[in-house]
Amino acid sequence: MGENDVMRAGGDDGHQSTAPDEAAVLVVDARGTITAWSSKARRLLGRDDDDVIGRPAARLLAAELPETARAGFAERRAWSAPLALRQADGHVVRVTAQALPLLGVARQLEWYVTVTVTVPGSQPSPGEGPAPSPDDDGDPRTALVRIWGLDQLPIPVALFDNRALLVAVNEAMEQLTGRTEQQLFGLPAGEVEHGRVLPGLEELRGITDRVLMTGESVTRDWYLSFPGDLREHAWTGVYSPLKDRTGRMHGFSAVVLDTTEQYQARRRLELVNEASVHIGTALDVARTAEELAETAVGGFADFVTVDLLDAVLSGEDPDFGVAAESQFFRRVAQRSVLEGCPESVVPVGKRHMYDEQSPPGRALALGQAVSHPVDEKTLRWWAVGSPERERSMRAYGIHSTIVVPLRARGTTLGVAVLARHRTAFPYDASDLLLAEELAARAAVCVDNARRYAHERSIALALRRSLLPRAAPRQTAVEIASRYLPAVPGTGVGGDWFDVIPLSGARVALVVGDVVGHGIQASATMGQLRMAVRTLADVDLPPDELLTQLDDIVLRLDRDEQQSGGVPDRDSAGEMSASCLYVVYDPVSGRCSMARAGHPFPAMVAPDGTVDFLDLPAGPPLGLGGIPFETAEFDVPEGSVLALYTDGLIHSAERDIDVGLDLLRATLARPSLTLEERCDAVLRTLLHDRPSDDVALLLARTHILDDAHHASWSLPADPAVVSEARKYAADQLAAWGLDEVAFTTELVVSELVTNAIRYGADPIQMRLIREDGCLTCEVSDGSSTAPHLRRARAFDEGGRGLMLVAQFTDRWGARHTPEGKIIWAEQDLNDQE
């Protein structure tokens, strides 16, 4: 038989060491008894045949049989595993064993086991035999590295062969994995039991294969828990090839570094950066609170609640005379790693208070963040005033909390509670600082949103007080209107509309837009609206009215600059506005209008045709020095005039021409009332809340037929005054208005006399009857304006207009291209 032949008896008794790559052979029967072995096995173990043949193989083991081997024996399949064998003199040799099941002649199972030394010069571990010495077989440096170096290294280290099977670990790795070296022997990288990969290390096999193939080190970060420490940590694994002096690959090492502290510091920095981006995206108090909860939960807390004072939610200042812990809070936001926030005992929107002795009450009283480990003592604190909180904290295993007041500009706005139950680590001092940083950032955003809400509510209230609450009484047009503020965050704009009754049954329609947002824009809008009303009372033509309004805007801008210490500018100021002014006369059926930087009005004809009226382009108000032009149009009875601001047709998602086409198509829909048409326009053109204010004014025109007005041409002869009184009396009788005949005759007498005495030809008189109103007009060719004066006791004249003013509800004068018109109105509903 050759040197490596299997021997069942006799052989070389010499104690020799076998070479690392030489394989020794043992044959073991089904009962675990050694029935044969090779001479190399005899030299490896330094034992006699009588000490081995016929005896249990377990006697040769210096450590427990690995799980891989036990499973292979039980399942009667081939296996490979590292073993620790004890030599005759007590030394331990570490080998790699490969076992192959064989079926003998008698149909009995036997195992053919080959054994190869894997660590040359292996020495016993402490307790396994005598301490190593330089006189022992093998290199003494190997033992020094193994026992005093690797085992005492506080960093977990594992060694793997070139098949990525574990061959050695140090004590730190044993503690981390919760397994002994013998239990881990022969397992692939990433496994702590046969066939069981540690959760989170599924990608490790690909990494180790790359190390073995390329011979280059690989570094990878992990976040997981090991069996020896159930808390999750951040780990950095360094996988390096093990080569001999010739560069031959023998395996690789795995060094595991606990980088949890660095990971948490990096995560805190990332959280602060995330907070700067995601908290305060909208000027909305509730949304800001939700963003704080969303940012904190998951990476920093497992459960977060945010409560704000009631006054903050309404945009008001908190009550400074009452301690924060004694005020009512409202749950605004809450988030949890568990679906539905089951930890919460206060639903969103509910009003509640915190007891002064509870952790939130104490934190509010101190005005600073407080961290609490949850133990029996703090649970009693949480139970004060709310036993449900204590029960919830016990049920969900909350073990650590931070309570942080939301304070900005020295004022408490609310309180946030952060809790951990899924995260194993309790909050520490650095977490407390991070919570304060997040709360401070959120508090400033909440305060900004509160201030914005307060300013917005004032601006809206101001706007509501300035816009028409109801259409004024008049018969020229039927009115429907809409005003839609911009979406919160952009501020209330300066859009407005107005309907102004004029003399002679006419009506003025106005739509304007002040550039800018906020209280200043609303205040400017109010000033311009009142200016337009004042100028309309003077009955200026549209182009002259816009010229006067342009001067007013320039003056307002100049006054604002001077009050703010800004020197006068040669160029146009920052204040600007657009305006469309329309005057409709139901007697003539004509419409005159002018625009200042405003979109074209639309007219819907009775047949449904929609046209955008081509008005001369006028500059925006506030530029100065550029004239405006008036255009006139015939408006068929039943037509609809549509006036609007640019927020209706302008959009970032579409071109302005598309907006105009949508408006045209919507206005052309048949069988819609004015109110329905307004709603249809807003639904079609505004899919969401607009980014700019929108004002829409629809007016359906009416015509006053001959049955509602009468006119006469009069010569410039004093004798005609009596005839004029008779004309008026006859017309009033025809209308059934005999009760106002006396007053009307008095007015006619005074106005016609003034026209003859102070005016010029041609002289005309007109009576207009509307619903509840009678108007008397006298026109002449003179442009001289009349005025009231107080007559002395013995004056023979000077009392005419005084009498007109006393006996009528309104009177006035307006200029025309031919001269002027003096008019007086009587309220028919107020006659006794």
Side-chain angles (χ1 to χ4, degrees):
M1 298 178 65
E3 182 182 18
N4 198 34
D5 293 338
V6 176
M7 296 182 296
R8 297 187 182 272
D12 188 357
D13 295 334
H15 178 171
Q16 301 181 35
S17 176
T18 184
D21 293 333
E22 294 179 339
V25 179
L26 297 95
V27 179
V28 183
D29 64 15
R31 294 174 300 173
T33 302
I34 298 176
T35 59
W37 68 337
S38 68
S39 58
K40 288 185 178 179
R42 187 191 315 123
R43 290 197 301 273
L44 173 64
L45 297 175
R47 295 177 179 270
D48 297 332
D49 293 342
D50 294 339
D51 192 29
V52 175
I53 301 300
R55 296 181 179 274
R59 292 177 65 251
L60 302 179
L61 296 176
E64 184 181 351
L65 194 66
E67 175 63 27
T68 305
R70 290 199 301 272
F73 277 131
E75 298 171 8
R76 297 189 175 189
R77 57 174 175 78
W79 54 267
S80 175
L83 300 179
L85 302 180
R86 191 177 301 280
Q87 295 176 327
D89 58 4
H91 287 76
V92 176
V93 62
R94 303 187 184 279
V95 300
T96 298
Q98 292 180 317
L100 182 67
L102 301 175
L103 197 61
V105 177
R107 313 288 299 176
Q108 293 181 347
L109 180 67
E110 288 188 327
W111 293 89
Y112 186 81
V113 182
T114 60
V115 178
T116 304
V117 177
T118 56
V119 181
S122 296
Q123 301 297 331
S125 298
E128 294 181 340
S133 69
D135 296 331
D136 289 336
D137 292 338
D139 188 348
R141 291 175 299 175
T142 303
L144 184 65
V145 171
R146 173 62 191 169
I147 298 176
W148 296 339
L150 188 61
D151 280 347
Q152 295 182 20
L153 192 67
I155 301 172
V157 180
L159 303 179
F160 296 85
D161 62 16
N162 52 17
R163 294 171 297 170
L165 300 179
L166 189 143
V167 296
V169 295
N170 64 353
E171 291 182 5
M173 182 65 80
E174 287 181 332
Q175 294 175 1
L176 182 63
T177 60
R179 303 288 191 277
T180 65
E181 184 178 58
Q182 292 304 317
Q183 291 174 316
L184 297 172
F185 274 143
L187 296 179
E191 293 187 10
V192 292
E193 294 179 4
H194 179 67
R196 177 194 163 201
V197 178
L198 193 66
L201 292 179
E202 292 81 2
E203 300 178 9
L204 181 57
R205 184 56 185 268
I207 294 174
T208 58
D209 289 346
R210 188 168 62 181
V211 173
L212 293 173
M213 290 179 60
T214 63
E216 297 178 354
S217 297
V218 175
T219 301
R220 172 65 188 272
D221 293 328
W222 313 93
Y223 192 81
L224 50 88
S225 60
F226 279 94
D229 187 350
L230 297 180
R231 297 184 303 176
E232 287 190 334
H233 287 253
W235 308 94
T236 297
V238 182
Y239 308 94
S240 304
L242 298 177
K243 304 176 182 179
D244 58 22
R245 294 180 179 178
T246 64
R248 180 183 176 188
M249 179 80 69
H250 290 276
F252 65 90
S253 65
V255 179
V256 181
L257 305 174
D258 188 347
T259 56
T260 304
E261 185 174 343
Q262 297 90 327
Y263 171 83
Q264 291 177 341
R266 187 169 61 250
R267 184 68 188 96
R268 293 186 187 104
L269 182 59
E270 292 173 353
L271 194 61
V272 170
N273 292 334
E274 183 180 349
S276 65
V277 174
H278 293 100
I279 296 179
T281 60
L283 285 172
D284 182 87
V285 172
R287 180 57 194 150
T288 302
E290 291 173 356
E291 291 167 344
L292 171 60
E294 292 168 357
T295 301
V297 81
F300 186 57
D302 299 323
F303 175 55
V304 179
T305 65
V306 182
D307 300 321
L308 297 178
L309 291 170
D310 261 353
V312 174
L313 288 171
S314 61
E316 303 297 329
D317 291 327
D319 190 347
F320 296 104
V322 181
E325 64 272 19
S326 301
Q327 298 190 50
F328 279 100
F329 291 84
R330 195 174 295 274
R331 179 63 49 84
V332 181
Q334 57 189 22
R335 290 290 187 276
S336 172
V337 293
L338 305 178
E339 185 176 357
C341 294
E343 311 97 321
S344 175
V345 297
V346 178
V348 173
K350 184 176 180 180
R351 195 166 176 255
H352 66 104
M353 290 185 68
Y354 284 111
D355 191 274
E356 294 180 3
Q357 298 303 316
S358 67
R362 298 182 181 208
L364 289 168
L366 291 173
Q368 62 185 31
V370 179
S371 176
H372 292 284
V374 178
D375 51 25
E376 291 301 322
K377 181 179 179 181
T378 54
L379 281 173
R380 288 194 297 270
W381 291 348
W382 281 103
V384 176
S386 179
E388 296 85 359
R389 286 195 178 95
E390 178 193 7
R391 288 193 290 270
S392 175
M393 296 178 80
R394 290 184 185 275
Y396 292 97
I398 294 176
H399 61 81
S400 184
T401 61
I402 289 180
V403 182
V404 52
L406 301 179
R407 292 177 56 84
R409 301 176 177 93
T411 303
T412 298
L413 307 174
V415 62
V417 178
L418 301 92
R420 283 180 175 176
H421 52 75
R422 178 181 291 180
T423 303
F425 296 102
Y427 288 115
D428 56 21
S430 58
D431 291 324
L432 192 64
L433 293 176
L434 176 58
E436 290 177 333
E437 171 69 20
L438 295 179
R441 187 179 298 274
V444 171
C445 295
V446 166
D447 194 47
N448 289 340
R450 178 189 67 82
R451 289 167 174 258
Y452 167 77
H454 184 62
E455 178 180 322
R456 179 179 172 83
S457 65
I458 294 175
L460 286 174
L462 176 62
R463 170 174 295 284
R464 282 192 295 268
S465 68
L466 295 175
L467 289 176
R469 299 185 180 182
R473 189 183 68 185
Q474 45 80 37
T475 57
V477 292
E478 177 189 351
I479 295 296
S481 61
R482 294 291 185 273
Y483 169 72
L484 194 62
V487 64
T490 57
V492 178
D495 295 19
W496 92 91
F497 63 88
D498 208 348
V499 180
I500 307 172
L502 301 177
S503 63
R506 297 169 305 134
V507 66
L509 307 175
V510 190
V511 172
D513 183 4
V514 175
V515 175
H517 295 86
I519 294 178
Q520 184 62 45
S522 295
T524 304
M525 177 272 291
Q527 292 174 302
L528 296 186
R529 178 173 179 266
M530 295 309 299
V532 170
R533 278 186 162 267
T534 302
L535 295 172
D537 283 343
V538 183
D539 250 323
L540 293 179
D543 56 340
E544 292 185 25
L545 183 142
L546 291 181
T547 300
Q548 296 293 330
L549 196 62
D550 186 41
D551 291 339
I552 292 174
V553 172
L554 288 171
R555 187 161 55 252
L556 289 174
D557 187 33
R558 184 166 55 252
D559 293 344
E560 182 180 343
Q561 294 172 21
Q562 291 175 349
S563 64
V566 181
D568 292 338
R569 296 184 178 91
D570 294 332
S571 59
E574 295 181 357
M575 186 177 295
S576 179
S578 66
C579 185
L580 172 63
Y581 185 76
V582 178
V583 175
Y584 173 66
D585 186 350
V587 176
S588 64
R590 289 186 65 78
C591 194
S592 59
M593 58 185 72
R595 67 188 182 106
H598 205 81
F600 296 104
M603 185 176 74
V604 185
D607 61 359
T609 304
V610 180
D611 291 315
F612 289 99
L613 302 180
D614 188 12
L615 298 182
L621 300 174
L623 293 182
I626 304 177
F628 301 93
E629 296 183 51
T630 296
E632 293 194 358
F633 301 90
D634 289 321
V635 181
E637 182 176 13
S639 299
V640 175
L641 296 174
L643 287 67
Y644 51 90
T645 55
D646 58 359
L648 182 68
I649 55 176
H650 284 183
S651 173
E653 291 79 21
R654 62 170 181 257
D655 187 75
I656 187 172
D657 291 335
V658 177
L660 290 173
D661 290 341
L662 290 173
L663 178 60
R664 183 196 301 272
T666 307
L667 291 175
R669 294 179 187 176
S671 304
L672 291 179
T673 66
L674 287 185
E675 297 291 338
E676 292 172 344
R677 192 162 287 175
C678 279
D679 294 334
V681 168
L682 295 183
R683 281 196 306 268
T684 303
L685 278 83
L686 305 175
H687 299 292
D688 200 354
R689 294 295 301 274
S691 58
D692 193 8
D693 288 22
V694 172
L696 174 64
L697 180 63
L698 299 184
R700 177 175 282 119
T701 61
H702 298 297
I703 294 291
L704 289 179
D705 54 23
D706 294 340
H708 289 80
H709 64 88
S711 59
W712 301 268
S713 295
L714 304 175
D717 183 357
V720 81
V721 175
S722 60
E723 295 183 20
R725 288 198 297 266
K726 186 177 183 304
Y727 294 152
D730 292 344
Q731 187 62 53
L732 292 177
W735 285 340
L737 298 176
D738 295 319
E739 67 274 10
V740 295
F742 175 79
T743 302
T744 306
E745 288 182 34
L746 175 63
V747 171
V748 167
S749 178
E750 296 298 334
L751 295 185
V752 171
T753 298
N754 281 347
I756 294 173
R757 180 177 297 179
Y758 303 111
D761 287 333
I763 299 174
Q764 286 189 326
M765 182 180 72
R766 184 168 70 167
L767 294 179
I768 302 173
R769 178 175 66 88
E770 302 177 78
D771 292 340
C773 181
L774 176 66
T775 303
C776 177
E777 294 183 346
V778 176
S779 64
D780 65 77
S782 172
S783 60
T784 303
H787 62 277
L788 284 173
R789 68 183 181 88
R790 183 177 298 274
R792 296 180 178 88
F794 299 101
D795 288 347
E796 296 182 359
R799 297 178 179 86
L801 290 181
M802 181 71 72
L803 292 174
V804 171
Q806 292 294 323
F807 282 91
T808 61
D809 294 287
R810 289 201 315 155
W811 77 279
R814 68 176 183 270
H815 290 276
T816 65
E818 295 80 15
K820 67 177 181 295
I821 297 176
I822 310 299
W823 55 269
E825 290 182 358
Q826 300 177 70
D827 188 353
L828 299 179
N829 297 321
D830 196 29
Q831 297 296 323
E832 296 182 358

